[in-house]
Amino acid sequence: MSQDKHQVSAEDSLIARYFKPLATDPGAFGLVDDAAVLSSSGDDIVVTTDAVVEGVHYLATDPPDTIARKALRVNLSDLAAKGAAPAGFVLTLALRSKEDAWLRPFADALGEDSRAFACPLLGGDTVSTPGPQMISITAFGRVPKGRMVGRTGARPGDLILVTGTIGDAALGLDVLTGGAAAGVLASEPQAKEMLVSRYRVPQPRNVLAQAVRDHATAAMDVSDGLAGDLAKLCAASGVSATVDVANVPLSAAAVGLIARNAICVETLLAGGDDYEVLCTVPPAQTDALIAAGQAAGVAVTAIGTIVAGHERPRFLDGQGQELTLRRLSYSHF
């Protein structure tokens, strides 16, 4: 029996069923082509890519909807820190199987977030894998020409600001894996749920992208840990920093765990998956960025100062004594 040359492959059917409805940008061509067109409209195009891997960035038991949201949002967080407005993304899926019970909630959540953040699907690829599942997203954003906020502009005297709270995601992972936080919070389901949500579903600060672009001299998102990511920013700018640890914003759950000696502050400073914006701002513009955060419902906190030098950033306790951190951040290798 001859094969119909128009026969639709299983991969094509999967794409049409789950992901074609997400491809709302005209440049995606309804996912029938093997490339897309992204109009620059005279802006610079900012490109960022991040992958999330089962067993590394999410747990095999995590719900598929939260995996989808995390995969997109970690990239949106990068765009926010660059001062860029989302423009679209491409998706690569490495799947063990194509079960509707997993793919349907994954695709639905991805579609909800793509609409909420105005970041439509432009294309991608699906492959099978015998190993851990992997979702890789490359996201595109737009900034006015020459206005992307990089890591290299921090100058001595700038204040160091961070959005949200630090360390919650690391504690959420600790809860999910039965660590110390899980035991201490056994009778506090709301606190546990909040921490787990912070790990599974980041809150990218895209509402502050323009404010970051208008006021920050340097910025990046906190993905591998505040201490390590600040060290990266300082190295890129050729400066150093001092941080008042007492000013680092913490959730009530994190403060409670420290008070009960369940965790140490290093767990929070070096924990990954915060996806908050870390930026440096001249003192005269700090209030404007903090006010923009208040207007958007996002706390922005000054935690330290950029100083001259090339030493590793110093983290000082309430008595002005330097904390010795055994590690600065999560490392893949």
Side-chain angles (χ1 to χ4, degrees):
M1 185 172 60
S2 63
Q3 184 177 22
D4 184 351
K5 66 179 180 180
H6 297 298
Q7 181 178 352
V8 177
S9 71
E11 179 184 3
D12 290 337
S13 296
L14 185 154
I15 292 169
R17 181 174 185 181
Y18 297 106
F19 300 111
K20 186 176 181 178
L22 282 58
T24 56
D25 190 282
F29 305 117
L31 302 187
V32 300
D33 211 314
D34 55 1
V37 172
L38 184 62
S39 173
S40 69
S41 304
D43 294 330
D44 285 342
I45 300 296
V46 178
V47 183
T48 184
T49 188
D50 270 304
V52 295
V53 180
E54 181 183 64
V56 178
H57 303 95
Y58 67 90
L59 303 177
T61 53
D62 283 348
D65 60 316
T66 67
I67 298 168
R69 295 187 195 281
K70 186 169 192 175
L72 181 58
R73 291 180 183 210
V74 299
N75 286 276
L76 291 168
S77 179
D78 278 324
L79 294 180
K82 300 298 101 182
F89 70 100
V90 294
L91 167 71
T92 297
L93 278 176
L95 301 172
R96 281 192 301 272
S97 65
K98 54 183 183 68
E99 299 299 324
D100 184 74
W102 194 93
L103 276 167
R104 176 46 58 199
F106 178 93
D108 287 348
L110 192 62
E112 289 173 7
D113 266 10
S114 71
R115 291 187 292 273
F117 290 97
C119 191
L121 177 65
L122 299 174
D125 192 22
T126 56
V127 297
S128 62
T129 178
Q133 292 193 149
M134 185 273 294
I135 302 101
S136 178
I137 283 178
T138 298
F140 305 91
R142 293 189 177 95
V143 295
K145 204 156 190 66
R147 296 287 307 281
M148 188 193 88
V149 184
R151 299 183 184 183
T152 60
R155 297 293 178 263
D158 286 351
L159 297 184
I160 303 164
L161 276 63
V162 69
T163 62
T165 54
I166 295 299
D168 292 331
L171 296 178
L173 178 59
D174 191 70
V175 167
L176 287 169
T177 55
V184 173
L185 297 175
S187 61
E188 301 177 41
Q190 288 186 325
K192 288 173 64 176
E193 182 180 351
M194 183 277 291
L195 295 175
V196 168
S197 178
R198 288 278 286 162
Y199 171 70
R200 285 177 167 168
V201 185
Q203 300 297 316
R205 306 307 185 179
N206 297 87
V207 292
L208 290 182
Q210 182 173 338
V212 169
R213 190 170 72 237
D214 288 344
H215 302 296
T217 55
M220 64 183 294
D221 75 334
V222 180
S223 56
D224 293 329
L226 174 65
D229 287 336
L230 177 59
K232 294 173 188 174
L233 187 151
C234 287
S237 291
V239 295
S240 186
T242 58
V243 172
D244 185 346
V245 172
N247 288 339
V248 174
L250 305 178
S251 67
V255 171
L257 288 167
I258 290 176
R260 286 177 275 188
N261 295 315
I263 60 166
C264 63
V265 71
E266 180 180 323
T267 301
L268 309 177
L269 296 177
D273 287 333
D274 288 316
Y275 298 105
E276 298 291 352
V277 174
L278 169 69
C279 60
T280 60
V281 181
Q285 298 186 57
T286 298
D287 287 346
L289 183 52
I290 292 174
Q294 290 175 335
V298 178
V300 181
T301 307
I303 62 171
T305 306
I306 296 295
V307 298
H310 297 279
E311 301 83 8
R312 195 170 81 174
R314 300 172 67 224
F315 289 80
L316 308 179
D317 64 16
Q319 288 71 49
Q321 299 298 309
E322 185 171 0
L323 297 176
T324 300
L325 302 180
R326 291 169 295 175
R327 68 184 184 95
L328 297 182
S329 63
Y330 174 82
S331 176
H332 286 278
F333 300 102

